[in-house]
Amino acid sequence: MITPNLHYADLKSSYLFYNIAQKTKAYLAENPDKKLYRMGIGDVSLPLAKSVIAALHEGVEDQAFKDRFHGYMPECGAPFLRTAIADYYRSRGIELGDDEVFVSSGASDELGDILDLFDRSSSALVIEPAYPAYVDANVMAGRKIVHLASGIDNGFLPEPSENAKADILYICSPNNPTGAVFKKEQLRKWVDFANENGSVILFDAAYEAFIEDEELPRSIFEIEGAKTCAIEICSLSKTAGFTGTRLGYTVIPKALVRHGMCFNDMWVRNRTTKTNGVSYIIQKGGAAVFTSEGQKEIHENISYYKENARLLMEALDELGIWYCGGKNSPYIWLKCPNGMGSWEFFDLLLKEIQVVGTPGEGFGACGEGYFRFSVFGSREDTVEAAERLKRLLR
Ligand code: MLT
């Protein structure tokens, strides 16, 4: 009899956001007259930018003509999009070759797929609380996970520790779920640590566009030495509203080499084997994000979400509830009031005021007692949710 991947037995029975979706679905089935205020999963509510829509239409139109039609796309990304992304980095002072940029179908897909580059005997360090897919994807592969807890005392931004070494180091900044952002000097310590130990940093930069404080790094490649120890994974989901459209990109510098093997070459080998590239139409839409008009439009949307964050933070201030994030990030991470557990608080908000958030415990044990709000809802829903929170918790 075939042996399935037995490591699946080591996973929690269901994935965090699936769990929440099931709970809210059950609540709605019992209370069909209720409207929910969704601030759980970070799914956007604003439509795609006008210039993206125009480019998507053009892409569709191209497919109607023999001389403009595109079949299979290059596996590592359309040259026009790889150039646009490399130029985006260049505009921020980071020099990359177009062939160091890979187009992906989204950061969450890529975070799982990229693990093909590492031996199964390698270990993975996860700074907790953490995006749960980091842990689950490695559990599925049977890798040893090294948990590094963070908390209020270190601003949820721990330093590397000799007691928590691993081969793969996950760093997410701005952080999901805490919204905390590493400063350059803090990231430098991680880069030095990775280079000294021969580790590789998987830098999740999905929320880089939300950073408004200019001195904060938006890419690991702003740090000297990062090209020999880091892979950066990025997404247009939150930045440009592509959660349903699906598009992301990954930077693998040619200088990243271990045991004489170049990770960039390996990823070319992997992609050319395992994908036929992202659809032309979607890449055409994605390229519009990197034009000056596209950048202006997506930043208008980001400002809208930031205003949602401000409204929620104002409510939490009024209630005297501790929180972080919200300023350089679309997530607000708060301490559950009155010593409540995070699922207990989830149930209270769902049942009493129909507000859906994400329990901190879902991001790892040290998230217990905390709760996350995402700010991607509509303005009307955010205003109403803030009012409901104030009424319930005052
Ligand atoms: C989140 O809410 O943490 C994210 O939206 C989930 C994801 O990006 O897959």
Side-chain angles (χ1 to χ4, degrees), residues 15 17 40-43 108 131 176 207 238 331 363 372:
Y15 187 60
F17 294 108
I41 192 165
D43 197 3
S108 46
Y131 179 50
N176 179 11
Y207 304 98
K238 318 299 156 82
Y331 296 121
F363 299 99
R372 191 195 79 174

Side-chain angles (χ1 to χ4, degrees), residues 55-203:
L56 289 170
H57 279 297
E58 264 174 46
V60 171
E61 202 54 24
D62 287 344
Q63 297 297 69
F65 295 93
K66 206 164 177 217
D67 57 336
R68 284 155 57 190
F69 170 80
H70 288 76
Y72 284 133
M73 294 301 288
E75 297 87 346
C76 300
F80 65 80
L81 183 54
R82 296 178 93 182
T83 303
I85 296 167
D87 285 346
Y88 175 63
Y89 275 91
R90 196 162 298 119
S91 72
R92 290 150 49 198
I94 298 164
E95 279 303 324
L96 295 175
D98 293 5
D99 54 359
E100 293 181 301
V101 175
F102 294 84
V103 174
S104 75
S105 55
S108 46
D109 315 27
E110 194 82 337
L111 279 161
D113 293 349
I114 202 89
L115 294 175
D116 270 6
L117 295 179
F118 306 101
D119 193 86
R120 288 195 172 208
S121 67
S122 54
S123 53
L125 177 130
V126 177
I127 298 173
E128 291 192 340
Y131 179 50
Y134 302 158
V135 172
D136 288 359
N138 281 289
V139 169
M140 286 174 188
R143 280 200 188 82
K144 179 182 162 215
I145 314 261
V146 178
H147 300 266
L148 179 61
S150 70
I152 292 184
D153 50 330
N154 54 23
F156 293 97
L157 298 168
E159 291 194 354
S161 152
E162 286 301 313
N163 302 324
K165 286 189 177 166
D167 302 306
I168 306 167
L169 311 174
Y170 283 89
I171 300 182
C172 178
S173 180
N175 186 268
N176 179 11
T178 66
V181 188
F182 279 103
K183 295 196 176 88
K184 277 194 182 145
E185 56 274 23
Q186 294 172 311
L187 271 189
R188 188 163 300 125
K189 289 187 185 163
W190 280 101
V191 165
D192 292 346
F193 182 75
N195 276 323
E196 277 156 25
N197 293 300
S199 312
V200 170
I201 295 174
L202 288 185
F203 191 76

Side-chain angles (χ1 to χ4, degrees), residues 263-283:
F263 283 84
N264 184 294
D265 292 344
M266 288 166 71
W267 198 234
V268 172
R269 186 69 180 83
N270 181 295
R271 295 293 83 184
T272 49
T273 307
K274 291 198 168 182
T275 82
N276 279 320
V278 175
S279 122
Y280 165 71
I281 297 165
I282 304 297
Q283 294 196 64

Side-chain angles (χ1 to χ4, degrees), residues 155-340:
F156 293 97
L157 298 168
E159 291 194 354
S161 152
E162 286 301 313
N163 302 324
K165 286 189 177 166
D167 302 306
I168 306 167
L169 311 174
Y170 283 89
I171 300 182
C172 178
S173 180
N175 186 268
N176 179 11
T178 66
V181 188
F182 279 103
K183 295 196 176 88
K184 277 194 182 145
E185 56 274 23
Q186 294 172 311
L187 271 189
R188 188 163 300 125
K189 289 187 185 163
W190 280 101
V191 165
D192 292 346
F193 182 75
N195 276 323
E196 277 156 25
N197 293 300
S199 312
V200 170
I201 295 174
L202 288 185
F203 191 76
D204 182 348
Y207 304 98
E208 58 85 16
F210 288 80
I211 293 183
E212 57 187 48
D213 291 346
E214 297 219 331
E215 70 283 4
L216 292 172
R218 286 165 51 195
S219 164
I220 188 84
F221 300 115
E222 290 178 43
I223 312 300
E224 205 186 319
K227 285 191 175 171
T228 55
C229 69
I231 291 174
E232 179 157 297
I233 296 183
C234 215
S235 160
L236 294 189
S237 286
K238 318 299 156 82
T239 305
F242 273 60
T243 49
T245 310
R246 308 306 304 150
L247 192 65
Y249 53 93
T250 299
V251 175
I252 310 184
K254 295 216 159 186
L256 181 60
V257 176
R258 296 286 182 269
H259 291 282
M261 294 182 77
C262 169
F263 283 84
N264 184 294
D265 292 344
M266 288 166 71
W267 198 234
V268 172
R269 186 69 180 83
N270 181 295
R271 295 293 83 184
T272 49
T273 307
K274 291 198 168 182
T275 82
N276 279 320
V278 175
S279 122
Y280 165 71
I281 297 165
I282 304 297
Q283 294 196 64
K284 179 100 176 138
V289 170
F290 298 99
T291 60
S292 52
E293 190 56 22
Q295 284 292 303
K296 186 173 146 278
E297 289 169 355
I298 65 155
H299 279 282
E300 280 164 12
N301 288 0
I302 289 174
S303 301
Y304 174 96
Y305 296 132
K306 288 280 184 75
E307 177 60 13
N308 285 351
R310 199 192 59 72
L311 291 166
L312 284 170
M313 290 192 288
E314 205 172 74
L316 295 173
D317 284 335
E318 215 177 297
L319 293 165
I321 291 177
W322 182 94
Y323 65 87
C324 61
K327 182 162 189 286
N328 293 294
S329 137
Y331 296 121
I332 299 174
W333 179 250
L334 56 117
K335 206 151 177 36
C336 301
N338 310 320
M340 257 185 271

